[in-house]
């Protein structure tokens, strides 16, 4: 079974360019607006028996509310799909590939907006850059991409499955 990992900040939830101190405040992660098309794509893939779907999102160690807020955000946004989706929360700065229990497999897919995460992941598996309208301004990512539309995200994932 192909595993699909969705980043949260900048993919499932909006990315806000704010000072670091702002991200340390209670309520910051819980109040992020959903990127509805990405959330819809995650739900669609969770319904497809070919895929096992996870969120893979870093939490800030210095923010004691970050983990709980992200978990609650997922419960609110995913509704009945929440129970079918796994979640992994490494600390910021940790390699996402190393955070996956048992390690990543060549068929695993990461959907992320941050090039450093994608480059690390693509050494061993499939990386898809989520184009959220504020990233990839310089076209530095040369790999697979998906726009913010649910159908394009789902198609990008499905095109990697034999």
């Amino acid at each position: 079974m192909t595993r699909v990992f969705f980043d949260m900040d900048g993919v499932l939830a909006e990315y806000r360019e704010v000072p670091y101190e702002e991200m340390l405040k209670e309520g910051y992660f819980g109040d992020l607006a959903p990127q509805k098309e990405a959330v819809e794509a995650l739900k669609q893939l969770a319904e497809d028996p070919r895929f096992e779907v996870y969120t893979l999102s870093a939490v800030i160690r210095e923010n004691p509310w970050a983990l709980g807020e992200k978990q609650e955000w997922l419960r609110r946004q995913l509704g009945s799909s929440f129970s079918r989706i796994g979640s992994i929360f490494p600390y910021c700065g940790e390699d996402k590939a190393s955070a996956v229990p048992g390690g990543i497999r060549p068929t695993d897919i990461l959907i992320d907006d941050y090039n450093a995460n994608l480059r690390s992941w693509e050494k061993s598996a499939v990386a898809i850059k989520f184009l959220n309208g504020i990233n990839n301004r310089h076209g530095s990512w040369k790999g697979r991409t998906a726009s913010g539309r649910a159908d394009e995200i789902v198609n990008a994932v499905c095109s990697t499955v034999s």
Side-chain angles (χ1 to χ4, degrees):
M1 181 176 294
T2 299
R3 299 185 301 179
V4 183
F5 298 85
F6 278 80
D7 177 46
M8 286 182 68
D9 309 298
V11 178
L12 295 175
E14 72 175 334
Y15 174 80
R16 291 190 271 176
E17 291 189 52
V18 298
Y20 182 73
E21 295 76 28
E22 187 72 22
M23 291 187 280
L24 298 179
K25 292 181 180 177
E26 184 175 9
Y28 176 80
F29 292 102
D31 293 338
L32 292 175
Q35 300 218 66
K36 292 180 180 174
E37 292 285 318
V39 171
E40 180 58 31
L42 179 143
K43 289 178 179 180
Q44 287 179 30
L45 291 167
E47 294 292 329
D48 189 320
R50 297 175 294 173
F51 302 108
E52 190 176 331
V53 179
Y54 295 85
T55 59
L56 177 56
S57 183
V59 293
I60 298 173
R61 190 181 306 264
E62 297 82 17
N63 180 331
W65 304 282
L67 177 60
E69 288 180 11
K70 285 187 174 200
Q71 290 170 325
E72 181 55 34
W73 188 96
L74 287 168
R75 275 191 273 286
R76 278 195 327 267
Q77 301 305 324
L78 300 178
S80 62
S81 298
F82 178 75
S83 63
R84 290 189 303 279
I85 297 164
S87 295
I88 303 168
F89 296 100
Y91 285 116
C92 286
E94 291 180 18
D95 180 39
K96 284 187 172 182
S98 299
V100 174
I104 62 173
R105 305 172 193 153
T107 57
D108 285 346
I109 300 167
L110 174 66
I111 301 169
D112 204 312
D113 61 314
Y114 186 52
N115 284 358
N117 292 336
L118 295 163
R119 286 189 182 108
S120 174
W121 193 274
E122 75 173 344
K123 292 175 186 173
S124 304
V126 179
I128 299 173
K129 182 167 182 114
F130 178 78
L131 304 176
N132 59 18
I134 60 171
N135 63 352
N136 211 38
R137 294 178 193 153
H138 306 291
S140 59
W141 177 254
K142 303 300 181 200
R144 296 172 188 200
T145 61
S147 77
R149 292 190 1 231
D151 62 333
E152 192 171 315
I153 298 164
V154 170
N155 288 339
V157 169
C158 290
S159 71
T160 67
V161 180
S162 312

